[in-house]
Amino acid sequence: TLFRSFLVNRLVRKLGGDFNGEPDHIHEELSDEARSLIADAYSDVNVSDLVDYHTHVVGIGAGNTGCYVHHSHFSALHPFMQLKMKVFMSGCHVHNVENADAEAMNRLIHLVAHAKPPGSSGNAIHHLLAFDQVYDTNGIAQPDLTGLYIPNEYVAQLVEQNPTKFRLVCSVHPYRKDSLQELEKWYLAGARIVKWLPNSMKMNPSDPLCAPFYDKMAELGMVLLCHVGDEHSVSGGGVINALGNPLLLRAPLEKGVKVIAAHCASEGSSVDIEDPNRSRVDNFSLWLRLMKDPAYEHLLFGDISAIIGWRRLDALVQLLGEPELHHRLVNGSDYPVPALNVVVFTSTMVKKKLIPASAQAPLKEIYSYNPLLFDFCTKRLLRCPSTGRPFPVSVFKSHPSITGDTAMSRPAVPVPKEVSPHQNAPLAAV
């Protein structure tokens, strides 16, 4: 019925993207308080010096992009997954699902261009993440177990078209038969970071099958951006959260591979596989154990993407209280996550004394125009409740130990588009 449709759309907007204005109108229409908050956030840094190491490309295969999401998102037999898809589309400001990939990308370009104070030139650099499909240990692709597939070719094409805004982060599953060739191929195309989400990609970072992949990464000087902790977003095809155990990262670290632990393992708990009693420990504490190992001082890092999400705030409080680790942190938005109302609650941050109550209303205003700008301004406001210490501004800039050489700062070399192994999802069912 029309009334039911109205209620669903209302719910989707409240959970997803509750936007009131266009990003290019933000400085004309914001209150003085919101404009002042933005000015303070950029008072000690130029927007062109900012780097976001964790920005997702959203795609479902509309327009023959080769992207793919699990079929459960389009099935009436899975109403929760259908709702999740609608919420993500809302957060990406997608109105026409048959043009979803292009609309989502145009929205991101628009947000990046206007996430800055008035009168500023340039923009932050965003590292766009590809996302490989699932492979079994025999190197066979598993589409039915793949929750999300964003081809390297598609992301490289986007970077080529927007060289002043984006950098390529490739994704290569280590169980692929051609994993070493693919890794070198994308290195030559300009990628310096490799994205993994083991929980959803069904890979074990400590599996001996990964050893040749780590050797090749170390040889090329590539960095592994690896999800650690529990996972909820990419759940189509199933999630194995035991594979998000931070201790599994010892394998690449022992091979000399630099690793960025996404989200600083700020959610969930895992079995302490180094404890004879096999006790269960929160993932953040396990990540801290690795971070405080002197052997990994120049190898292990953490990104603060999605760390303002309500599930992660206890870990955020602890992280702000570990200033000796802050020089090994980098920023990431985990976009489109900060665009989802269901994830970020400023009221809870106020209760935990992470941000002042006076900031809540202007932050809400900023969000309603530009969730990327909202994410940055919120993180600049964060203070340790016990010491009042913020994250240093260096967290939001390029990290010299991760970027390494200037090659990473160059746009990706154009790569021919290849045919996706997946068929497009049934768009009309969304």
Side-chain angles (χ1 to χ4, degrees), residues 271-396:
V271 173
D272 185 348
I273 56 178
E274 299 172 347
D275 177 7
N277 295 321
R278 311 289 285 188
S279 57
R280 197 160 190 90
V281 178
D282 68 275
N283 286 316
F284 182 77
S285 295
L286 296 177
W287 174 74
L288 279 181
R289 182 190 303 174
L290 297 182
M291 286 289 284
K292 294 182 178 182
D293 187 328
Y296 305 146
E297 168 68 26
H298 302 291
L299 290 174
L300 182 61
F301 305 85
D303 84 21
I304 59 170
S305 63
I307 205 161
I308 60 173
W310 65 270
R311 294 176 185 267
R312 304 178 185 275
L313 294 182
D314 288 340
L316 173 58
V317 170
Q318 295 180 65
L319 186 60
L320 284 163
E322 298 275 358
E324 69 279 5
L325 300 180
H326 289 178
H327 68 289
R328 291 161 65 191
L329 300 179
V330 296
N331 186 41
S333 61
D334 203 19
Y335 181 85
V337 168
L340 307 179
N341 269 314
V342 71
V343 175
V344 182
F345 299 159
T346 55
S347 58
T348 307
M349 284 186 266
V350 169
K351 290 177 183 176
K352 291 184 176 290
K353 303 187 186 308
L354 287 163
I355 62 173
S358 59
Q360 193 172 353
L363 282 175
K364 184 177 180 180
E365 273 190 80
I366 295 168
Y367 162 84
S368 71
Y369 286 85
N370 193 325
L372 275 181
L373 183 58
F374 160 80
D375 182 76
F376 176 73
C377 290
T378 302
K379 287 172 178 172
R380 293 307 317 270
L381 278 171
L382 292 170
R383 296 293 185 273
C384 177
S386 59
T387 67
R389 184 189 295 267
F391 285 127
V393 70
S394 59
V395 169
F396 302 93

Side-chain angles (χ1 to χ4, degrees), residues 201-264:
M201 292 179 173
K202 322 297 192 297
M203 64 173 72
N204 183 344
S206 69
D207 193 321
L209 284 174
C210 299
F213 194 86
Y214 296 144
D215 289 337
K216 177 59 74 171
M217 285 195 70
E219 175 190 328
L220 297 174
M222 299 185 80
V223 178
L224 179 62
L225 172 59
C226 188
H227 179 101
V228 278
D230 283 2
E231 167 62 17
H232 305 284
S233 297
V234 186
S235 56
V239 172
I240 306 173
N241 277 327
L243 298 176
N245 188 330
L247 298 180
L248 301 179
L249 294 181
R250 285 201 190 271
L253 292 168
E254 290 299 320
K255 286 282 192 177
V257 176
K258 290 182 179 179
V259 178
I260 305 173
H263 323 300
C264 298

Side-chain angles (χ1 to χ4, degrees), residues 59-69 101 131-133 135 141 143 146 148-154 176 416-425:
I60 63 174
N64 297 314
T65 60
C67 299
Y68 169 88
V69 292
D101 297 28
F131 205 94
D132 208 354
Q133 59 185 321
Y135 288 79
T146 297
L148 175 69
Y149 177 53
I150 306 293
N152 291 310
E153 291 80 8
Y154 177 52
R176 300 173 60 134
K417 183 78 167 61
E418 296 179 0
V419 178
S420 167
H422 292 296
Q423 293 182 347
N424 291 344

